[in-house]
């Protein structure tokens, strides 16, 4: 019997990751509960279990008294001497309790105590396991639709993908494998409640971390990310190694790395740009693929005025303003985009400030010199311009 008990404990420990010590404590508590149900009280009951052999000894500590008033707590000298010949009045003797003597109801209650403890420990193990994965990406299997929510099986637990965390353009079938971002893990009486997302920007970040070795080892760093789930994501990266191209590392050979992430996101477009400490350069990069004539950034107000060629205005703004909107989120600047014609009509604008001299500017149209910060009017244009900022 003890061998069978040991085997059962080993199976529980292996399959449900519940430690033997916890199970031994559950058995001890169940025997004490059974004694209490059988005799009415268990204040003097002790249970000892050998962790190696699973042999257990259940006993009650009773005081030797001349006149027994409470048989559960006291014992007569005659009965005490049958257990210990040296026992005398006032001593405490151990009276062995045979669990076979417990009634059916007490036995069922003891069984319930053990099962309840196993369930509690199983829930606790699952909660701790997924709590450690909070704010991370895991792979799950689509189980079923619950109204507008989706149940995702993560292995040992089910997660809920709420409607507001779903990408409207994505439609999944049962048994389909998808990657989700764990938003929150709550511990409830019915077990852990796991909330996941497919729209969170961190999902894209974690996918890049798992796909791009340079990001994982810290050579390339993701500085900022802006996402409109299901449509487009912009991500700004920088390299901590001058010999490593940050954008190239993220794109991969023939776009292999970024394409695998795009496939996981069901075709969502991803723009990868270089991070720059200069806000003007960063805004220019963020507005790609549009070409920029000039950027005037105010670091204090976190605002920027951008001038683009007339034919590039719609590209810079993007469909329904998406490109400009994502660039603003990526850089943290409020961006006002004007075409050259619109800027020329603005107060204080001098057209010659935007006409590049081939000898002064490079092929990309940028000067190496900075512009003076004095002499600007409210619109951001003035006579004190020396050159356009990149």
């Amino acid at each position: 019997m003890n061998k069978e008990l040991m085997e059962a404990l080993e199976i529980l420990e292996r399959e449900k990751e519940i430690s033997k010590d916890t199970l031994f404590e559950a058995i001890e508590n169940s025997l004490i509960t059974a004694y209490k149900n059988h005799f009415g009280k268990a204040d003097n009951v002790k249970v000892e279990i050998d962790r190696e052999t699973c042999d257990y000894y259940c006993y009650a500590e009773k005081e030797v008294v001349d006149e027994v008033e409470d048989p559960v707590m006291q014992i007569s000298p005659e009965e005490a001497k049958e257990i210990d010949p040296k026992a005398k009045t006032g001593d405490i003797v151990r009276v062995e309790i045979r669990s076979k003597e417990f009634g059916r109801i007490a036995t069922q209650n003891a069984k319930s105590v053990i099962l309840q403890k196993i369930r509690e420990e199983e829930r606790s193990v699952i909660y701790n396991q997924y709590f450690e994965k909070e704010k991370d990406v895991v792979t799950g299997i689509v189980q079923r639709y619950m109204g507008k929510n989706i149940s995702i099986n993560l292995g040992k637990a089910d997660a809920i993908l709420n409607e507001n965390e779903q990408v409207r353009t994505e439609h999944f079938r049962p048994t389909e494998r998808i990657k989700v971002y764990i938003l929150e893990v709550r511990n409830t009486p019915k077990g852990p409640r796991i909330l996941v997302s497919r729209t969170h920007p961190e999902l894209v970040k974690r996918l890049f971390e798992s796909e791009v070795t340079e990001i994982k080892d810290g050579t390339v760093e993701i500085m900022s990310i802006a996402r409109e789930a299901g449509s487009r994501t912009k991500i700004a990266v920088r390299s901590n190694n001058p010999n490593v191209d940050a954008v190239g590392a993220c794109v991969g050979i023939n776009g292999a790395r970024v394409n695998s992430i795009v496939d996981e996101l069901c075709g969502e477009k991803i723009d990868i740009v270089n991070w720059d400490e200069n806000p003007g350069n960063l805004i220019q990069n963020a507005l790609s693929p549009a070409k920029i004539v000039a950027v005037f950034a105010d670091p204090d107000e976190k605002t920027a005025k951008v001038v683009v060629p007339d034919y590039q205005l719609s590209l810079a703004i993007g469909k329904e303003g998406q490109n400009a909107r994502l660039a603003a989120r990526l850089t943290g600047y409020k961006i006002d985009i004007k075409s050259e014609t619109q800027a020329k009509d603005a107060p204080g604008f001098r057209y010659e400030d935007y006409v590049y001299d081939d000898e002064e500017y490079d092929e990309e149209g940028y000067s190496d010199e900075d512009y003076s910060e004095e002499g600007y009017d409210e619109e951001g244009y003035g006579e004190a311009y020396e050159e356009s900022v990149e």
Side-chain angles (χ1 to χ4, degrees):
M1 175 178 150
N2 294 339
K3 183 179 179 181
E4 292 176 356
L5 178 59
M6 178 63 75
E7 291 176 353
L9 295 178
E10 289 176 351
I11 292 173
L12 284 171
E13 184 177 44
R14 184 170 58 253
E15 293 184 354
K16 298 186 180 296
E17 299 181 8
I18 303 175
S19 67
K20 285 183 183 177
D21 288 336
T22 300
L23 295 170
F24 280 127
E25 290 177 6
I27 295 172
E28 291 172 355
N29 291 333
S30 68
L31 290 171
I32 293 174
T33 301
Y35 182 89
K36 184 175 182 179
N37 291 333
H38 189 69
F39 294 102
K41 62 173 67 174
D43 298 337
N44 61 332
V45 177
K46 306 291 182 183
V47 178
E48 295 178 355
I49 300 180
D50 191 317
R51 267 48 173 175
E52 300 296 329
T53 63
C54 282
D55 291 331
Y56 65 91
Y57 179 54
C58 183
Y59 60 89
E61 294 180 339
K62 296 186 178 182
E63 182 183 2
V64 181
V65 294
D66 294 330
E67 294 184 7
V68 178
E69 297 179 356
D70 185 354
V72 176
M73 305 292 293
Q74 299 171 338
I75 188 172
S76 65
E78 294 76 14
E79 292 176 327
K81 288 181 180 180
E82 292 178 3
I83 299 171
D84 183 3
K86 297 180 181 180
K88 58 183 182 298
T89 302
D91 289 346
I92 301 296
V93 297
R94 292 182 173 183
V95 180
E96 184 178 0
I97 302 168
R98 298 188 181 277
S99 58
K100 292 181 180 180
E101 297 176 0
F102 296 155
R104 179 178 58 84
I105 295 178
T107 304
Q108 288 180 344
N109 290 338
K111 178 183 177 181
S112 298
V113 170
I114 296 175
L115 293 177
Q116 179 65 23
K117 184 64 175 178
I118 292 174
R119 283 192 292 266
E120 289 177 359
E121 285 300 315
E122 186 177 7
R123 287 196 292 264
S124 177
V125 168
I126 294 173
Y127 171 78
N128 291 333
Q129 179 180 346
Y130 286 99
F131 183 75
E132 293 175 357
K133 296 180 180 179
E134 197 174 68
K135 312 303 180 187
D136 205 350
V137 171
V138 296
T139 301
I141 299 175
V142 178
Q143 283 191 314
R144 64 187 180 278
Y145 280 82
M146 304 181 299
K148 294 184 179 181
N149 299 334
I150 304 176
S151 174
I152 310 291
N153 181 261
L154 302 181
K156 294 185 178 180
D158 292 341
I160 299 174
L161 182 61
N162 290 324
E163 180 186 9
N164 57 353
E165 297 297 339
Q166 299 174 28
V167 179
R168 293 182 179 180
T169 56
E170 293 180 344
H171 302 283
F172 303 111
R173 299 183 304 274
T175 72
E176 188 173 351
R177 298 178 69 88
I178 62 172
K179 290 185 178 179
V180 292
Y181 177 77
I182 298 181
L183 286 175
E184 183 182 9
V185 181
R186 301 174 185 170
N187 200 3
T188 69
K190 294 183 179 180
R193 179 180 172 85
I194 306 172
L195 302 178
V196 296
S197 173
R198 285 279 297 179
T199 62
H200 203 285
E202 286 291 314
L203 173 63
V204 180
K205 184 177 180 180
R206 298 299 183 193
L207 290 175
F208 269 99
E209 289 175 352
S210 63
E211 189 69 31
V212 181
T213 308
E214 289 81 357
I215 293 179
K216 194 171 185 179
D217 63 21
T219 304
V220 174
E221 189 175 356
I222 297 175
M223 301 301 296
S224 181
I225 187 167
R227 184 186 185 200
E228 290 192 358
S231 180
R232 183 180 291 272
T233 291
K234 282 183 180 287
I235 181 171
V237 295
R238 75 173 180 186
S239 174
N240 295 320
N241 185 335
N243 298 321
V244 176
D245 176 20
V247 174
C250 294
V251 172
I253 300 175
N254 296 325
R257 288 176 170 177
V258 72
N259 285 340
S260 66
I261 297 174
V262 169
D263 291 341
E264 179 60 42
L265 298 176
C266 300
E268 181 176 317
K269 294 180 176 63
I270 299 177
D271 296 338
I272 306 172
V273 301
N274 281 310
W275 173 267
D276 200 302
E277 296 297 336
N278 184 315
N281 294 342
L282 178 60
I283 292 170
Q284 173 192 307
N285 295 341
L287 285 171
S288 64
K291 293 182 179 179
I292 309 301
V293 173
V295 179
F296 309 104
D298 185 343
D300 296 328
E301 298 293 330
K302 287 291 182 179
T303 60
K305 294 184 181 296
V306 177
V307 180
V308 300
D310 291 355
Y311 69 94
Q312 291 276 300
L313 180 61
S314 60
L315 182 61
I317 295 175
K319 184 179 180 181
E320 298 179 352
Q322 185 186 68
N323 194 56
R325 189 165 56 247
L326 286 174
R329 292 182 193 170
L330 189 72
T331 60
Y333 277 71
K334 184 178 180 181
I335 301 175
D336 180 18
I337 303 175
K338 285 184 171 67
S339 67
E340 286 184 290
T341 301
Q342 292 170 337
K344 185 170 63 175
D345 296 335
F349 177 82
R350 293 197 311 160
Y351 184 74
E352 55 267 25
D353 291 329
Y354 295 91
V355 179
Y356 291 151
D357 184 345
D358 293 339
E359 296 181 358
E360 185 178 358
Y361 295 89
D362 59 20
E363 295 179 356
E364 298 295 327
Y366 307 120
S367 169
D368 293 333
E369 299 181 9
D370 294 328
Y371 65 96
S372 171
E373 295 182 350
E374 300 177 355
Y376 292 86
D377 60 14
E378 294 180 355
E379 296 295 325
Y381 307 109
E383 297 179 356
Y385 291 159
E386 294 179 357
E387 279 92 14
S388 301
V389 181
E390 292 184 359

